[in-house]
PDB file of all heavy atoms in Angstrom:
ATOM      1  N   GLN A  77     138.297  -9.411 111.746  1.00 94.00           N
ATOM      2  CA  GLN A  77     137.012  -8.809 111.612  1.00 94.00           C
ATOM      3  C   GLN A  77     136.017  -9.760 110.959  1.00 94.00           C
ATOM      4  O   GLN A  77     136.348 -10.366 109.985  1.00 94.00           O
ATOM      5  CB  GLN A  77     137.088  -7.509 110.782  1.00 94.00           C
ATOM      6  CG  GLN A  77     137.956  -6.435 111.418  1.00 94.00           C
ATOM      7  CD  GLN A  77     137.368  -5.862 112.690  1.00 94.00           C
ATOM      8  OE1 GLN A  77     136.163  -5.747 112.877  1.00 94.00           O
ATOM      9  NE2 GLN A  77     138.198  -5.507 113.637  1.00 94.00           N
ATOM     10  N   PRO A  78     134.802  -9.826 111.478  1.00 93.00           N
ATOM     11  CA  PRO A  78     133.805 -10.772 110.846  1.00 93.00           C
ATOM     12  C   PRO A  78     133.405 -10.155 109.478  1.00 93.00           C
ATOM     13  O   PRO A  78     133.447  -8.948 109.273  1.00 93.00           O
ATOM     14  CB  PRO A  78     132.671 -10.734 111.847  1.00 93.00           C
ATOM     15  CG  PRO A  78     132.730  -9.460 112.555  1.00 93.00           C
ATOM     16  CD  PRO A  78     134.197  -9.160 112.724  1.00 93.00           C
ATOM     17  N   VAL A  79     132.938 -11.076 108.593  1.00 95.00           N
ATOM     18  CA  VAL A  79     132.434 -10.637 107.312  1.00 95.00           C
ATOM     19  C   VAL A  79     131.159  -9.898 107.568  1.00 95.00           C
ATOM     20  O   VAL A  79     130.409 -10.101 108.613  1.00 95.00           O
ATOM     21  CB  VAL A  79     132.222 -11.794 106.335  1.00 95.00           C
ATOM     22  CG1 VAL A  79     133.513 -12.430 105.984  1.00 95.00           C
ATOM     23  CG2 VAL A  79     131.176 -12.813 106.970  1.00 95.00           C
ATOM     24  N   LEU A  80     130.772  -8.992 106.700  1.00 95.00           N
ATOM     25  CA  LEU A  80     129.548  -8.248 106.782  1.00 95.00           C
ATOM     26  C   LEU A  80     128.290  -9.125 106.737  1.00 95.00           C
ATOM     27  O   LEU A  80     128.203 -10.045 105.910  1.00 95.00           O
ATOM     28  CB  LEU A  80     129.396  -7.131 105.728  1.00 95.00           C
ATOM     29  CG  LEU A  80     130.558  -6.084 105.637  1.00 95.00           C
ATOM     30  CD1 LEU A  80     130.446  -5.208 104.488  1.00 95.00           C
ATOM     31  CD2 LEU A  80     130.601  -5.315 106.966  1.00 95.00           C
ATOM     32  N   ASN A  81     127.337  -8.892 107.620  1.00 92.00           N
ATOM     33  CA  ASN A  81     126.142  -9.664 107.717  1.00 92.00           C
ATOM     34  C   ASN A  81     124.983  -8.779 108.093  1.00 92.00           C
ATOM     35  O   ASN A  81     124.609  -8.731 109.229  1.00 92.00           O
ATOM     36  CB  ASN A  81     126.348 -10.821 108.682  1.00 92.00           C
ATOM     37  CG  ASN A  81     125.163 -11.741 108.705  1.00 92.00           C
ATOM     38  OD1 ASN A  81     124.378 -11.817 107.794  1.00 92.00           O
ATOM     39  ND2 ASN A  81     125.029 -12.486 109.820  1.00 92.00           N
ATOM     40  N   GLU A  82     124.432  -7.993 107.140  1.00 88.00           N
ATOM     41  CA  GLU A  82     123.393  -7.139 107.439  1.00 88.00           C
ATOM     42  C   GLU A  82     122.287  -7.272 106.339  1.00 88.00           C
ATOM     43  O   GLU A  82     122.513  -7.878 105.270  1.00 88.00           O
ATOM     44  CB  GLU A  82     123.854  -5.633 107.414  1.00 88.00           C
ATOM     45  CG  GLU A  82     125.009  -5.374 108.332  1.00 88.00           C
ATOM     46  CD  GLU A  82     125.615  -3.989 108.069  1.00 88.00           C
ATOM     47  OE1 GLU A  82     124.927  -3.138 107.589  1.00 88.00           O
ATOM     48  OE2 GLU A  82     126.807  -3.793 108.420  1.00 88.00           O
ATOM     49  N   ASP A  83     121.070  -6.718 106.591  1.00 90.00           N
ATOM     50  CA  ASP A  83     120.050  -6.719 105.581  1.00 90.00           C
ATOM     51  C   ASP A  83     120.511  -5.990 104.357  1.00 90.00           C
ATOM     52  O   ASP A  83     121.140  -4.944 104.393  1.00 90.00           O
ATOM     53  CB  ASP A  83     118.754  -6.047 106.138  1.00 90.00           C
ATOM     54  CG  ASP A  83     118.048  -6.845 107.211  1.00 90.00           C
ATOM     55  OD1 ASP A  83     118.369  -8.016 107.276  1.00 90.00           O
ATOM     56  OD2 ASP A  83     117.216  -6.273 107.973  1.00 90.00           O
ATOM     57  N   GLY A  84     120.231  -6.597 103.190  1.00 91.00           N
ATOM     58  CA  GLY A  84     120.620  -6.030 101.933  1.00 91.00           C
ATOM     59  C   GLY A  84     122.031  -6.286 101.477  1.00 91.00           C
ATOM     60  O   GLY A  84     122.497  -5.743 100.435  1.00 91.00           O
ATOM     61  N   ILE A  85     122.782  -7.028 102.280  1.00 96.00           N
ATOM     62  CA  ILE A  85     124.248  -7.430 101.989  1.00 96.00           C
ATOM     63  C   ILE A  85     124.313  -8.894 102.007  1.00 96.00           C
ATOM     64  O   ILE A  85     123.945  -9.570 102.931  1.00 96.00           O
ATOM     65  CB  ILE A  85     125.146  -6.801 103.046  1.00 96.00           C
ATOM     66  CG1 ILE A  85     125.019  -5.300 103.144  1.00 96.00           C
ATOM     67  CG2 ILE A  85     126.613  -7.194 102.731  1.00 96.00           C
ATOM     68  CD1 ILE A  85     125.829  -4.668 104.223  1.00 96.00           C
ATOM     69  N   SER A  86     124.871  -9.429 100.892  1.00 97.00           N
ATOM     70  CA  SER A  86     124.977 -10.906 100.746  1.00 97.00           C
ATOM     71  C   SER A  86     126.410 -11.252 100.318  1.00 97.00           C
ATOM     72  O   SER A  86     126.869 -10.774  99.300  1.00 97.00           O
ATOM     73  CB  SER A  86     123.974 -11.385  99.753  1.00 97.00           C
ATOM     74  OG  SER A  86     124.129 -12.868  99.557  1.00 97.00           O
ATOM     75  N   LEU A  87     127.150 -12.033 101.196  1.00 98.00           N
ATOM     76  CA  LEU A  87     128.491 -12.399 100.824  1.00 98.00           C
ATOM     77  C   LEU A  87     128.469 -13.379  99.601  1.00 98.00           C
ATOM     78  O   LEU A  87     127.670 -14.324  99.553  1.00 98.00           O
ATOM     79  CB  LEU A  87     129.103 -13.131 102.059  1.00 98.00           C
ATOM     80  CG  LEU A  87     130.512 -13.679 101.805  1.00 98.00           C
ATOM     81  CD1 LEU A  87     131.481 -12.575 101.618  1.00 98.00           C
ATOM     82  CD2 LEU A  87     130.924 -14.554 103.011  1.00 98.00           C
ATOM     83  N   VAL A  88     129.381 -13.095  98.729  1.00 98.00           N
ATOM     84  CA  VAL A  88     129.546 -14.012  97.557  1.00 98.00           C
ATOM     85  C   VAL A  88     130.682 -14.951  97.827  1.00 98.00           C
ATOM     86  O   VAL A  88     130.526 -16.151  97.836  1.00 98.00           O
ATOM     87  CB  VAL A  88     129.755 -13.195  96.236  1.00 98.00           C
ATOM     88  CG1 VAL A  88     129.964 -14.087  95.032  1.00 98.00           C
ATOM     89  CG2 VAL A  88     128.622 -12.211  95.973  1.00 98.00           C
ATOM     90  N   ILE A  89     131.890 -14.424  97.981  1.00 98.00           N
ATOM     91  CA  ILE A  89     133.095 -15.223  98.411  1.00 98.00           C
ATOM     92  C   ILE A  89     134.036 -14.377  99.263  1.00 98.00           C
ATOM     93  O   ILE A  89     133.983 -13.133  99.196  1.00 98.00           O
ATOM     94  CB  ILE A  89     133.917 -15.822  97.188  1.00 98.00           C
ATOM     95  CG1 ILE A  89     134.478 -14.701  96.343  1.00 98.00           C
ATOM     96  CG2 ILE A  89     133.073 -16.748  96.398  1.00 98.00           C
ATOM     97  CD1 ILE A  89     135.457 -15.189  95.289  1.00 98.00           C
ATOM     98  N   SER A  90     134.803 -15.094 100.089  1.00 98.00           N
ATOM     99  CA  SER A  90     135.804 -14.390 100.910  1.00 98.00           C
ATOM    100  C   SER A  90     137.034 -15.348 100.988  1.00 98.00           C
ATOM    101  O   SER A  90     136.846 -16.516 101.322  1.00 98.00           O
ATOM    102  CB  SER A  90     135.224 -14.097 102.327  1.00 98.00           C
ATOM    103  OG  SER A  90     136.198 -13.415 103.062  1.00 98.00           O
ATOM    104  N   HIS A  91     138.217 -14.838 100.777  1.00 97.00           N
ATOM    105  CA  HIS A  91     139.403 -15.611 100.869  1.00 97.00           C
ATOM    106  C   HIS A  91     140.484 -14.909 101.695  1.00 97.00           C
ATOM    107  O   HIS A  91     140.731 -13.749 101.568  1.00 97.00           O
ATOM    108  CB  HIS A  91     140.011 -15.771  99.440  1.00 97.00           C
ATOM    109  CG  HIS A  91     139.399 -16.918  98.658  1.00 97.00           C
ATOM    110  ND1 HIS A  91     139.953 -18.087  98.495  1.00 97.00           N
ATOM    111  CD2 HIS A  91     138.243 -16.993  97.948  1.00 97.00           C
ATOM    112  CE1 HIS A  91     139.232 -18.936  97.767  1.00 97.00           C
ATOM    113  NE2 HIS A  91     138.123 -18.271  97.423  1.00 97.00           N
ATOM    114  N   ARG A  92     141.114 -15.755 102.562  1.00 97.00           N
ATOM    115  CA  ARG A  92     142.270 -15.227 103.237  1.00 97.00           C
ATOM    116  C   ARG A  92     143.434 -15.148 102.259  1.00 97.00           C
ATOM    117  O   ARG A  92     143.643 -16.016 101.401  1.00 97.00           O
ATOM    118  CB  ARG A  92     142.665 -16.194 104.383  1.00 97.00           C
ATOM    119  CG  ARG A  92     143.802 -15.602 105.273  1.00 97.00           C
ATOM    120  CD  ARG A  92     143.968 -16.434 106.539  1.00 97.00           C
ATOM    121  NE  ARG A  92     144.887 -15.801 107.416  1.00 97.00           N
ATOM    122  CZ  ARG A  92     144.951 -16.044 108.753  1.00 97.00           C
ATOM    123  NH1 ARG A  92     144.069 -16.833 109.273  1.00 97.00           N
ATOM    124  NH2 ARG A  92     145.823 -15.399 109.504  1.00 97.00           N
ATOM    125  N   LEU A  93     144.217 -14.112 102.326  1.00 96.00           N
ATOM    126  CA  LEU A  93     145.264 -13.849 101.271  1.00 96.00           C
ATOM    127  C   LEU A  93     146.548 -14.585 101.673  1.00 96.00           C
ATOM    128  O   LEU A  93     146.944 -14.710 102.818  1.00 96.00           O
ATOM    129  CB  LEU A  93     145.559 -12.345 101.205  1.00 96.00           C
ATOM    130  CG  LEU A  93     144.269 -11.486 100.770  1.00 96.00           C
ATOM    131  CD1 LEU A  93     144.665 -10.011 100.696  1.00 96.00           C
ATOM    132  CD2 LEU A  93     143.795 -11.995  99.490  1.00 96.00           C
ATOM    133  N   PRO A  94     147.202 -15.056 100.662  1.00 93.00           N
ATOM    134  CA  PRO A  94     148.554 -15.663 100.881  1.00 93.00           C
ATOM    135  C   PRO A  94     149.563 -14.604 101.126  1.00 93.00           C
ATOM    136  O   PRO A  94     149.374 -13.433 100.816  1.00 93.00           O
ATOM    137  CB  PRO A  94     148.740 -16.440  99.518  1.00 93.00           C
ATOM    138  CG  PRO A  94     148.051 -15.534  98.482  1.00 93.00           C
ATOM    139  CD  PRO A  94     146.806 -15.018  99.241  1.00 93.00           C
ATOM    140  N   SER A  95     150.714 -15.050 101.638  1.00 90.00           N
ATOM    141  CA  SER A  95     151.858 -14.125 101.914  1.00 90.00           C
ATOM    142  C   SER A  95     152.604 -13.906 100.524  1.00 90.00           C
ATOM    143  O   SER A  95     153.738 -14.397 100.366  1.00 90.00           O
ATOM    144  CB  SER A  95     152.781 -14.704 102.958  1.00 90.00           C
ATOM    145  OG  SER A  95     151.988 -14.795 104.157  1.00 90.00           O
ATOM    146  N   ALA A  96     151.986 -13.242  99.622  1.00 80.00           N
ATOM    147  CA  ALA A  96     152.526 -13.113  98.270  1.00 80.00           C
ATOM    148  C   ALA A  96     153.726 -12.230  98.175  1.00 80.00           C
ATOM    149  O   ALA A  96     154.611 -12.440  97.346  1.00 80.00           O
ATOM    150  CB  ALA A  96     151.424 -12.614  97.237  1.00 80.00           C
ATOM    151  N   PHE A  97     153.725 -11.157  99.030  1.00 89.00           N
ATOM    152  CA  PHE A  97     154.883 -10.242  99.080  1.00 89.00           C
ATOM    153  C   PHE A  97     154.806  -9.468 100.367  1.00 89.00           C
ATOM    154  O   PHE A  97     153.829  -9.544 101.083  1.00 89.00           O
ATOM    155  CB  PHE A  97     154.766  -9.306  97.819  1.00 89.00           C
ATOM    156  CG  PHE A  97     153.542  -8.376  97.795  1.00 89.00           C
ATOM    157  CD1 PHE A  97     153.459  -7.160  98.464  1.00 89.00           C
ATOM    158  CD2 PHE A  97     152.424  -8.892  97.164  1.00 89.00           C
ATOM    159  CE1 PHE A  97     152.306  -6.412  98.458  1.00 89.00           C
ATOM    160  CE2 PHE A  97     151.218  -8.151  97.158  1.00 89.00           C
ATOM    161  CZ  PHE A  97     151.185  -6.843  97.810  1.00 89.00           C
ATOM    162  N   SER A  98     155.880  -8.717 100.675  1.00 87.00           N
ATOM    163  CA  SER A  98     155.817  -7.927 101.885  1.00 87.00           C
ATOM    164  C   SER A  98     156.070  -6.502 101.523  1.00 87.00           C
ATOM    165  O   SER A  98     156.428  -6.150 100.407  1.00 87.00           O
ATOM    166  CB  SER A  98     156.981  -8.399 102.848  1.00 87.00           C
ATOM    167  OG  SER A  98     158.202  -8.358 102.207  1.00 87.00           O
ATOM    168  N   GLY A  99     155.903  -5.629 102.506  1.00 91.00           N
ATOM    169  CA  GLY A  99     156.132  -4.187 102.224  1.00 91.00           C
ATOM    170  C   GLY A  99     154.854  -3.435 101.881  1.00 91.00           C
ATOM    171  O   GLY A  99     153.759  -3.916 102.077  1.00 91.00           O
ATOM    172  N   GLU A 100     155.051  -2.220 101.461  1.00 95.00           N
ATOM    173  CA  GLU A 100     153.932  -1.369 101.112  1.00 95.00           C
ATOM    174  C   GLU A 100     153.056  -1.896  99.982  1.00 95.00           C
ATOM    175  O   GLU A 100     153.624  -2.557  99.120  1.00 95.00           O
ATOM    176  CB  GLU A 100     154.407   0.089 100.737  1.00 95.00           C
ATOM    177  CG  GLU A 100     155.239   0.739 101.851  1.00 95.00           C
ATOM    178  CD  GLU A 100     154.383   1.004 103.092  1.00 95.00           C
ATOM    179  OE1 GLU A 100     153.225   1.388 103.008  1.00 95.00           O
ATOM    180  OE2 GLU A 100     154.958   0.781 104.228  1.00 95.00           O
ATOM    181  N   ARG A 101     151.739  -1.606 100.031  1.00 97.00           N
ATOM    182  CA  ARG A 101     150.863  -2.244  99.006  1.00 97.00           C
ATOM    183  C   ARG A 101     149.811  -1.322  98.650  1.00 97.00           C
ATOM    184  O   ARG A 101     149.464  -0.321  99.359  1.00 97.00           O
ATOM    185  CB  ARG A 101     150.315  -3.557  99.604  1.00 97.00           C
ATOM    186  CG  ARG A 101     149.645  -3.400 100.898  1.00 97.00           C
ATOM    187  CD  ARG A 101     149.418  -4.754 101.573  1.00 97.00           C
ATOM    188  NE  ARG A 101     148.864  -4.533 102.943  1.00 97.00           N
ATOM    189  CZ  ARG A 101     149.361  -5.089 104.070  1.00 97.00           C
ATOM    190  NH1 ARG A 101     150.322  -5.937 103.987  1.00 97.00           N
ATOM    191  NH2 ARG A 101     148.817  -4.819 105.245  1.00 97.00           N
ATOM    192  N   ILE A 102     149.079  -1.594  97.510  1.00 98.00           N
ATOM    193  CA  ILE A 102     147.932  -0.833  97.055  1.00 98.00           C
ATOM    194  C   ILE A 102     146.781  -1.826  96.769  1.00 98.00           C
ATOM    195  O   ILE A 102     146.997  -3.028  96.457  1.00 98.00           O
ATOM    196  CB  ILE A 102     148.227  -0.036  95.796  1.00 98.00           C
ATOM    197  CG1 ILE A 102     148.713  -0.968  94.654  1.00 98.00           C
ATOM    198  CG2 ILE A 102     149.268   1.089  96.096  1.00 98.00           C
ATOM    199  CD1 ILE A 102     148.756  -0.250  93.335  1.00 98.00           C
ATOM    200  N   LEU A 103     145.586  -1.273  96.846  1.00 98.00           N
ATOM    201  CA  LEU A 103     144.453  -1.985  96.320  1.00 98.00           C
ATOM    202  C   LEU A 103     144.160  -1.333  94.951  1.00 98.00           C
ATOM    203  O   LEU A 103     144.003  -0.112  94.851  1.00 98.00           O
ATOM    204  CB  LEU A 103     143.216  -1.813  97.293  1.00 98.00           C
ATOM    205  CG  LEU A 103     141.867  -2.410  96.905  1.00 98.00           C
ATOM    206  CD1 LEU A 103     141.103  -2.808  98.178  1.00 98.00           C
ATOM    207  CD2 LEU A 103     141.066  -1.473  96.092  1.00 98.00           C
ATOM    208  N   ARG A 104     143.992  -2.203  93.956  1.00 98.00           N
ATOM    209  CA  ARG A 104     143.644  -1.705  92.578  1.00 98.00           C
ATOM    210  C   ARG A 104     142.369  -2.282  92.115  1.00 98.00           C
ATOM    211  O   ARG A 104     142.135  -3.509  92.282  1.00 98.00           O
ATOM    212  CB  ARG A 104     144.816  -2.039  91.576  1.00 98.00           C
ATOM    213  CG  ARG A 104     144.443  -1.659  90.165  1.00 98.00           C
ATOM    214  CD  ARG A 104     145.534  -2.128  89.225  1.00 98.00           C
ATOM    215  NE  ARG A 104     146.757  -1.353  89.412  1.00 98.00           N
ATOM    216  CZ  ARG A 104     147.934  -1.675  88.882  1.00 98.00           C
ATOM    217  NH1 ARG A 104     148.027  -2.732  88.101  1.00 98.00           N
ATOM    218  NH2 ARG A 104     148.989  -0.919  89.097  1.00 98.00           N
ATOM    219  N   ALA A 105     141.468  -1.432  91.577  1.00 98.00           N
ATOM    220  CA  ALA A 105     140.231  -1.906  90.965  1.00 98.00           C
ATOM    221  C   ALA A 105     140.191  -1.621  89.486  1.00 98.00           C
ATOM    222  O   ALA A 105     140.512  -0.426  89.111  1.00 98.00           O
ATOM    223  CB  ALA A 105     139.051  -1.200  91.680  1.00 98.00           C
ATOM    224  N   ASP A 106     139.871  -2.604  88.671  1.00 98.00           N
ATOM    225  CA  ASP A 106     139.829  -2.379  87.241  1.00 98.00           C
ATOM    226  C   ASP A 106     138.826  -3.260  86.611  1.00 98.00           C
ATOM    227  O   ASP A 106     138.211  -4.161  87.236  1.00 98.00           O
ATOM    228  CB  ASP A 106     141.223  -2.486  86.539  1.00 98.00           C
ATOM    229  CG  ASP A 106     141.858  -3.828  86.693  1.00 98.00           C
ATOM    230  OD1 ASP A 106     141.209  -4.789  87.186  1.00 98.00           O
ATOM    231  OD2 ASP A 106     143.002  -3.964  86.258  1.00 98.00           O
TER     232      ASP A 106
END
Side-chain angles (χ1 to χ4, degrees):
Q77 297 292 326
V79 296
L80 299 176
N81 184 22
E82 306 171 23
D83 289 343
I85 302 175
S86 178
L87 177 67
V88 180
I89 62 171
S90 183
H91 277 259
R92 187 168 187 160
L93 298 179
S95 299
F97 61 90
S98 59
E100 301 298 318
R101 54 196 174 227
I102 59 169
L103 178 151
R104 174 183 293 169
D106 61 6

